[in-house]
mmCIF file of all heavy atoms in Angstrom:
data_model
loop_
_atom_site.group_PDB
_atom_site.id
_atom_site.type_symbol
_atom_site.label_atom_id
_atom_site.label_comp_id
_atom_site.label_asym_id
_atom_site.label_seq_id
_atom_site.Cartn_x
_atom_site.Cartn_y
_atom_site.Cartn_z
ATOM 1 N N GLY A 80 -27.914 -13.688 100.898
ATOM 2 C CA GLY A 80 -28.587 -14.573 101.849
ATOM 3 C C GLY A 80 -28.230 -16.025 101.627
ATOM 4 O O GLY A 80 -27.175 -16.354 101.101
ATOM 5 N N SER A 81 -29.141 -16.907 102.010
ATOM 6 C CA SER A 81 -28.857 -18.343 101.973
ATOM 7 C C SER A 81 -28.731 -18.866 100.546
ATOM 8 O O SER A 81 -29.291 -18.306 99.612
ATOM 9 C CB SER A 81 -29.959 -19.119 102.709
ATOM 10 O OG SER A 81 -31.195 -18.955 102.044
ATOM 11 N N SER A 82 -28.003 -19.961 100.418
ATOM 12 C CA SER A 82 -27.830 -20.599 99.120
ATOM 13 C C SER A 82 -29.059 -21.443 98.810
ATOM 14 O O SER A 82 -29.389 -22.368 99.537
ATOM 15 C CB SER A 82 -26.588 -21.486 99.145
ATOM 16 O OG SER A 82 -26.552 -22.311 98.012
ATOM 17 N N ARG A 83 -29.760 -21.110 97.743
ATOM 18 C CA ARG A 83 -30.889 -21.944 97.304
ATOM 19 C C ARG A 83 -31.050 -21.825 95.795
ATOM 20 O O ARG A 83 -31.285 -20.757 95.249
ATOM 21 C CB ARG A 83 -32.177 -21.575 98.041
ATOM 22 C CG ARG A 83 -32.612 -20.131 97.965
ATOM 23 C CD ARG A 83 -33.839 -19.857 98.816
ATOM 24 N NE ARG A 83 -33.532 -19.885 100.245
ATOM 25 C CZ ARG A 83 -34.406 -19.518 101.192
ATOM 26 N NH1 ARG A 83 -35.624 -19.108 100.858
ATOM 27 N NH2 ARG A 83 -34.078 -19.558 102.464
ATOM 28 N N GLU A 84 -30.880 -22.962 95.129
ATOM 29 C CA GLU A 84 -31.008 -22.976 93.679
ATOM 30 C C GLU A 84 -32.447 -22.719 93.252
ATOM 31 O O GLU A 84 -32.712 -22.375 92.103
ATOM 32 C CB GLU A 84 -30.511 -24.319 93.121
ATOM 33 C CG GLU A 84 -30.160 -24.262 91.660
ATOM 34 C CD GLU A 84 -29.360 -25.464 91.189
ATOM 35 O OE1 GLU A 84 -29.174 -26.411 91.980
ATOM 36 O OE2 GLU A 84 -28.918 -25.454 90.031
ATOM 37 N N HIS A 85 -33.380 -22.848 94.199
ATOM 38 C CA HIS A 85 -34.779 -22.556 93.894
ATOM 39 C C HIS A 85 -34.979 -21.105 93.451
ATOM 40 O O HIS A 85 -35.959 -20.805 92.771
ATOM 41 C CB HIS A 85 -35.651 -22.831 95.120
ATOM 42 C CG HIS A 85 -35.741 -24.278 95.492
ATOM 43 N ND1 HIS A 85 -34.657 -24.976 95.974
ATOM 44 C CD2 HIS A 85 -36.791 -25.156 95.478
ATOM 45 C CE1 HIS A 85 -35.029 -26.230 96.225
ATOM 46 N NE2 HIS A 85 -36.309 -26.369 95.933
ATOM 47 N N ALA A 86 -34.068 -20.212 93.834
ATOM 48 C CA ALA A 86 -34.232 -18.797 93.473
ATOM 49 C C ALA A 86 -34.171 -18.587 91.961
ATOM 50 O O ALA A 86 -35.113 -18.024 91.377
ATOM 51 C CB ALA A 86 -33.203 -17.940 94.215
ATOM 52 N N PRO A 87 -33.120 -19.031 91.270
ATOM 53 C CA PRO A 87 -33.165 -18.908 89.810
ATOM 54 C C PRO A 87 -34.238 -19.781 89.175
ATOM 55 O O PRO A 87 -34.787 -19.414 88.135
ATOM 56 C CB PRO A 87 -31.756 -19.321 89.359
ATOM 57 C CG PRO A 87 -31.142 -20.022 90.510
ATOM 58 C CD PRO A 87 -31.788 -19.465 91.731
ATOM 59 N N TRP A 88 -34.555 -20.929 89.788
ATOM 60 C CA TRP A 88 -35.657 -21.737 89.261
ATOM 61 C C TRP A 88 -36.957 -20.933 89.256
ATOM 62 O O TRP A 88 -37.725 -20.986 88.289
ATOM 63 C CB TRP A 88 -35.860 -22.993 90.108
ATOM 64 C CG TRP A 88 -34.781 -24.022 90.042
ATOM 65 C CD1 TRP A 88 -33.678 -24.016 89.236
ATOM 66 C CD2 TRP A 88 -34.707 -25.228 90.813
ATOM 67 N NE1 TRP A 88 -32.917 -25.135 89.468
ATOM 68 C CE2 TRP A 88 -33.514 -25.901 90.426
ATOM 69 C CE3 TRP A 88 -35.509 -25.792 91.788
ATOM 70 C CZ2 TRP A 88 -33.126 -27.114 90.988
ATOM 71 C CZ3 TRP A 88 -35.117 -27.003 92.358
ATOM 72 C CH2 TRP A 88 -33.952 -27.656 91.958
ATOM 73 N N ALA A 89 -37.222 -20.212 90.347
ATOM 74 C CA ALA A 89 -38.462 -19.439 90.457
ATOM 75 C C ALA A 89 -38.484 -18.302 89.451
ATOM 76 O O ALA A 89 -39.512 -18.040 88.811
ATOM 77 C CB ALA A 89 -38.612 -18.901 91.877
ATOM 78 N N LEU A 90 -37.360 -17.613 89.287
ATOM 79 C CA LEU A 90 -37.292 -16.530 88.301
ATOM 80 C C LEU A 90 -37.577 -17.060 86.902
ATOM 81 O O LEU A 90 -38.398 -16.499 86.163
ATOM 82 C CB LEU A 90 -35.904 -15.877 88.330
ATOM 83 C CG LEU A 90 -35.592 -15.002 89.544
ATOM 84 C CD1 LEU A 90 -34.096 -14.750 89.638
ATOM 85 C CD2 LEU A 90 -36.347 -13.678 89.475
ATOM 86 N N LEU A 91 -36.921 -18.152 86.554
ATOM 87 C CA LEU A 91 -37.085 -18.729 85.224
ATOM 88 C C LEU A 91 -38.508 -19.224 85.003
ATOM 89 O O LEU A 91 -39.092 -19.014 83.934
ATOM 90 C CB LEU A 91 -36.086 -19.869 85.032
ATOM 91 C CG LEU A 91 -35.934 -20.427 83.620
ATOM 92 C CD1 LEU A 91 -35.425 -19.355 82.671
ATOM 93 C CD2 LEU A 91 -34.980 -21.613 83.627
ATOM 94 N N ASP A 92 -39.081 -19.875 85.999
ATOM 95 C CA ASP A 92 -40.444 -20.402 85.875
ATOM 96 C C ASP A 92 -41.459 -19.273 85.721
ATOM 97 O O ASP A 92 -42.464 -19.432 85.030
ATOM 98 C CB ASP A 92 -40.788 -21.264 87.087
ATOM 99 C CG ASP A 92 -42.060 -22.063 86.875
ATOM 100 O OD1 ASP A 92 -42.104 -22.876 85.924
ATOM 101 O OD2 ASP A 92 -43.025 -21.873 87.645
ATOM 102 N N TYR A 93 -41.186 -18.148 86.325
ATOM 103 C CA TYR A 93 -42.068 -16.985 86.189
ATOM 104 C C TYR A 93 -41.954 -16.360 84.800
ATOM 105 O O TYR A 93 -42.898 -15.748 84.308
ATOM 106 C CB TYR A 93 -41.721 -15.947 87.251
ATOM 107 C CG TYR A 93 -42.656 -14.765 87.289
ATOM 108 C CD1 TYR A 93 -43.831 -14.799 88.028
ATOM 109 C CD2 TYR A 93 -42.357 -13.601 86.572
ATOM 110 C CE1 TYR A 93 -44.700 -13.715 88.054
ATOM 111 C CE2 TYR A 93 -43.214 -12.515 86.593
ATOM 112 C CZ TYR A 93 -44.381 -12.572 87.339
ATOM 113 O OH TYR A 93 -45.239 -11.479 87.353
ATOM 114 N N GLY A 94 -40.798 -16.527 84.170
ATOM 115 C CA GLY A 94 -40.580 -15.969 82.841
ATOM 116 C C GLY A 94 -39.457 -14.961 82.763
ATOM 117 O O GLY A 94 -39.238 -14.345 81.716
ATOM 118 N N ILE A 95 -38.726 -14.774 83.864
ATOM 119 C CA ILE A 95 -37.624 -13.816 83.889
ATOM 120 C C ILE A 95 -36.334 -14.525 83.500
ATOM 121 O O ILE A 95 -35.911 -15.468 84.161
ATOM 122 C CB ILE A 95 -37.509 -13.150 85.275
ATOM 123 C CG1 ILE A 95 -38.739 -12.272 85.506
ATOM 124 C CG2 ILE A 95 -36.220 -12.338 85.388
ATOM 125 C CD1 ILE A 95 -38.882 -11.745 86.894
ATOM 126 N N ARG A 96 -35.706 -14.066 82.427
ATOM 127 C CA ARG A 96 -34.481 -14.697 81.919
ATOM 128 C C ARG A 96 -33.239 -13.880 82.189
ATOM 129 O O ARG A 96 -32.124 -14.349 81.933
ATOM 130 C CB ARG A 96 -34.568 -14.908 80.398
ATOM 131 C CG ARG A 96 -35.638 -15.831 79.920
ATOM 132 C CD ARG A 96 -35.301 -17.296 79.826
ATOM 133 N NE ARG A 96 -33.944 -17.750 79.761
ATOM 134 C CZ ARG A 96 -33.345 -18.223 78.661
ATOM 135 N NH1 ARG A 96 -33.978 -18.236 77.504
ATOM 136 N NH2 ARG A 96 -32.099 -18.684 78.721
ATOM 137 N N CYS A 97 -33.405 -12.648 82.673
ATOM 138 C CA CYS A 97 -32.252 -11.790 82.876
ATOM 139 C C CYS A 97 -32.478 -10.875 84.073
ATOM 140 O O CYS A 97 -33.583 -10.328 84.236
ATOM 141 C CB CYS A 97 -32.004 -10.958 81.611
ATOM 142 S SG CYS A 97 -30.635 -9.801 81.738
ATOM 143 N N VAL A 98 -31.454 -10.749 84.911
ATOM 144 C CA VAL A 98 -31.476 -9.805 86.029
ATOM 145 C C VAL A 98 -30.271 -8.891 85.879
ATOM 146 O O VAL A 98 -29.149 -9.361 85.679
ATOM 147 C CB VAL A 98 -31.425 -10.516 87.395
ATOM 148 C CG1 VAL A 98 -31.486 -9.494 88.531
ATOM 149 C CG2 VAL A 98 -32.555 -11.528 87.531
ATOM 150 N N ILE A 99 -30.504 -7.584 85.977
ATOM 151 C CA ILE A 99 -29.439 -6.594 85.841
ATOM 152 C C ILE A 99 -29.273 -5.880 87.172
ATOM 153 O O ILE A 99 -30.253 -5.402 87.752
ATOM 154 C CB ILE A 99 -29.767 -5.575 84.732
ATOM 155 C CG1 ILE A 99 -30.027 -6.286 83.405
ATOM 156 C CG2 ILE A 99 -28.633 -4.564 84.587
ATOM 157 C CD1 ILE A 99 -30.595 -5.383 82.321
ATOM 158 N N SER A 100 -28.050 -5.821 87.654
ATOM 159 C CA SER A 100 -27.760 -5.148 88.919
ATOM 160 C C SER A 100 -26.299 -4.704 88.902
ATOM 161 O O SER A 100 -25.549 -5.052 87.985
ATOM 162 C CB SER A 100 -28.025 -6.087 90.100
ATOM 163 O OG SER A 100 -27.740 -5.449 91.333
ATOM 164 N N THR A 101 -25.905 -3.974 89.932
ATOM 165 C CA THR A 101 -24.496 -3.609 90.051
ATOM 166 C C THR A 101 -23.677 -4.749 90.644
ATOM 167 O O THR A 101 -22.470 -4.834 90.410
ATOM 168 C CB THR A 101 -24.324 -2.368 90.936
ATOM 169 O OG1 THR A 101 -24.898 -2.637 92.226
ATOM 170 C CG2 THR A 101 -24.991 -1.150 90.319
ATOM 171 N N SER A 102 -24.348 -5.627 91.432
ATOM 172 C CA SER A 102 -23.626 -6.713 92.095
ATOM 173 C C SER A 102 -24.580 -7.831 92.482
ATOM 174 O O SER A 102 -25.777 -7.590 92.693
ATOM 175 C CB SER A 102 -22.897 -6.200 93.349
ATOM 176 O OG SER A 102 -23.805 -5.592 94.244
ATOM 177 N N PHE A 103 -24.028 -9.032 92.555
ATOM 178 C CA PHE A 103 -24.788 -10.221 92.920
ATOM 179 C C PHE A 103 -24.011 -11.001 93.975
ATOM 180 O O PHE A 103 -22.780 -11.000 93.986
ATOM 181 C CB PHE A 103 -24.997 -11.138 91.707
ATOM 182 C CG PHE A 103 -25.813 -10.548 90.599
ATOM 183 C CD1 PHE A 103 -25.210 -9.809 89.590
ATOM 184 C CD2 PHE A 103 -27.190 -10.730 90.568
ATOM 185 C CE1 PHE A 103 -25.958 -9.267 88.554
ATOM 186 C CE2 PHE A 103 -27.947 -10.187 89.539
ATOM 187 C CZ PHE A 103 -27.335 -9.445 88.530
ATOM 188 N N ALA A 104 -24.746 -11.727 94.814
ATOM 189 C CA ALA A 104 -24.096 -12.679 95.708
ATOM 190 C C ALA A 104 -23.497 -13.797 94.858
ATOM 191 O O ALA A 104 -24.101 -14.235 93.880
ATOM 192 C CB ALA A 104 -25.099 -13.243 96.702
ATOM 193 N N ASP A 105 -22.317 -14.268 95.225
ATOM 194 C CA ASP A 105 -21.572 -15.217 94.396
ATOM 195 C C ASP A 105 -22.339 -16.500 94.090
ATOM 196 O O ASP A 105 -22.376 -16.954 92.945
ATOM 197 C CB ASP A 105 -20.242 -15.579 95.064
ATOM 198 C CG ASP A 105 -19.238 -14.445 95.013
ATOM 199 O OD1 ASP A 105 -19.435 -13.508 94.217
ATOM 200 O OD2 ASP A 105 -18.258 -14.495 95.780
ATOM 201 N N ILE A 106 -22.940 -17.117 95.115
ATOM 202 C CA ILE A 106 -23.615 -18.400 94.898
ATOM 203 C C ILE A 106 -24.822 -18.217 93.984
ATOM 204 O O ILE A 106 -25.033 -18.995 93.046
ATOM 205 C CB ILE A 106 -24.017 -19.046 96.242
ATOM 206 C CG1 ILE A 106 -22.770 -19.431 97.031
ATOM 207 C CG2 ILE A 106 -24.896 -20.285 96.015
ATOM 208 C CD1 ILE A 106 -23.042 -19.957 98.425
ATOM 209 N N PHE A 107 -25.616 -17.179 94.235
ATOM 210 C CA PHE A 107 -26.757 -16.914 93.361
ATOM 211 C C PHE A 107 -26.286 -16.670 91.931
ATOM 212 O O PHE A 107 -26.877 -17.187 90.974
ATOM 213 C CB PHE A 107 -27.545 -15.710 93.874
ATOM 214 C CG PHE A 107 -28.652 -15.280 92.946
ATOM 215 C CD1 PHE A 107 -29.883 -15.930 92.958
ATOM 216 C CD2 PHE A 107 -28.457 -14.249 92.037
ATOM 217 C CE1 PHE A 107 -30.893 -15.564 92.080
ATOM 218 C CE2 PHE A 107 -29.462 -13.873 91.154
ATOM 219 C CZ PHE A 107 -30.680 -14.524 91.188
ATOM 220 N N TYR A 108 -25.238 -15.878 91.781
ATOM 221 C CA TYR A 108 -24.692 -15.552 90.453
ATOM 222 C C TYR A 108 -24.316 -16.826 89.704
ATOM 223 O O TYR A 108 -24.699 -17.024 88.547
ATOM 224 C CB TYR A 108 -23.479 -14.648 90.651
ATOM 225 C CG TYR A 108 -22.874 -14.083 89.393
ATOM 226 C CD1 TYR A 108 -23.491 -13.049 88.693
ATOM 227 C CD2 TYR A 108 -21.624 -14.536 88.929
ATOM 228 C CE1 TYR A 108 -22.913 -12.497 87.556
ATOM 229 C CE2 TYR A 108 -21.038 -13.993 87.798
ATOM 230 C CZ TYR A 108 -21.682 -12.970 87.117
ATOM 231 O OH TYR A 108 -21.098 -12.428 85.994
ATOM 232 N N ASN A 109 -23.609 -17.722 90.367
ATOM 233 C CA ASN A 109 -23.214 -18.982 89.735
ATOM 234 C C ASN A 109 -24.418 -19.864 89.428
ATOM 235 O O ASN A 109 -24.474 -20.514 88.379
ATOM 236 C CB ASN A 109 -22.235 -19.737 90.635
ATOM 237 C CG ASN A 109 -20.895 -19.042 90.740
ATOM 238 O OD1 ASN A 109 -20.445 -18.395 89.800
ATOM 239 N ND2 ASN A 109 -20.243 -19.157 91.887
ATOM 240 N N ASN A 110 -25.398 -19.903 90.327
ATOM 241 C CA ASN A 110 -26.592 -20.711 90.102
ATOM 242 C C ASN A 110 -27.376 -20.238 88.888
ATOM 243 O O ASN A 110 -27.995 -21.040 88.177
ATOM 244 C CB ASN A 110 -27.490 -20.700 91.337
ATOM 245 C CG ASN A 110 -27.023 -21.628 92.430
ATOM 246 O OD1 ASN A 110 -26.254 -22.555 92.190
ATOM 247 N ND2 ASN A 110 -27.480 -21.392 93.651
ATOM 248 N N CYS A 111 -27.372 -18.936 88.656
ATOM 249 C CA CYS A 111 -28.087 -18.409 87.487
ATOM 250 C C CYS A 111 -27.540 -19.006 86.198
ATOM 251 O O CYS A 111 -28.302 -19.443 85.329
ATOM 252 C CB CYS A 111 -27.984 -16.888 87.444
ATOM 253 S SG CYS A 111 -29.110 -16.028 88.571
ATOM 254 N N PHE A 112 -26.223 -19.043 86.062
ATOM 255 C CA PHE A 112 -25.607 -19.572 84.843
ATOM 256 C C PHE A 112 -25.886 -21.057 84.655
ATOM 257 O O PHE A 112 -25.910 -21.545 83.525
ATOM 258 C CB PHE A 112 -24.101 -19.321 84.862
ATOM 259 C CG PHE A 112 -23.726 -17.887 84.649
ATOM 260 C CD1 PHE A 112 -23.263 -17.118 85.701
ATOM 261 C CD2 PHE A 112 -23.861 -17.291 83.404
ATOM 262 C CE1 PHE A 112 -22.920 -15.788 85.515
ATOM 263 C CE2 PHE A 112 -23.530 -15.961 83.204
ATOM 264 C CZ PHE A 112 -23.056 -15.202 84.262
ATOM 265 N N GLN A 113 -26.111 -21.783 85.750
ATOM 266 C CA GLN A 113 -26.416 -23.214 85.654
ATOM 267 C C GLN A 113 -27.882 -23.465 85.307
ATOM 268 O O GLN A 113 -28.264 -24.610 85.052
ATOM 269 C CB GLN A 113 -26.081 -23.906 86.971
ATOM 270 C CG GLN A 113 -24.590 -24.031 87.250
ATOM 271 C CD GLN A 113 -23.894 -24.965 86.260
ATOM 272 O OE1 GLN A 113 -24.394 -26.029 85.935
ATOM 273 N NE2 GLN A 113 -22.742 -24.549 85.765
#
Side-chain angles (χ1 to χ4, degrees):
S81 64
S82 168
R83 56 184 72 172
E84 200 166 6
H85 292 68
W88 291 355
L90 288 164
L91 191 62
D92 192 60
Y93 186 86
I95 293 170
R96 297 272 340 254
C97 178
V98 181
I99 304 170
S100 180
T101 58
S102 57
F103 296 89
D105 288 344
I106 294 175
F107 174 82
Y108 187 75
N109 291 328
N110 281 340
C111 281
F112 288 107
Q113 289 294 317

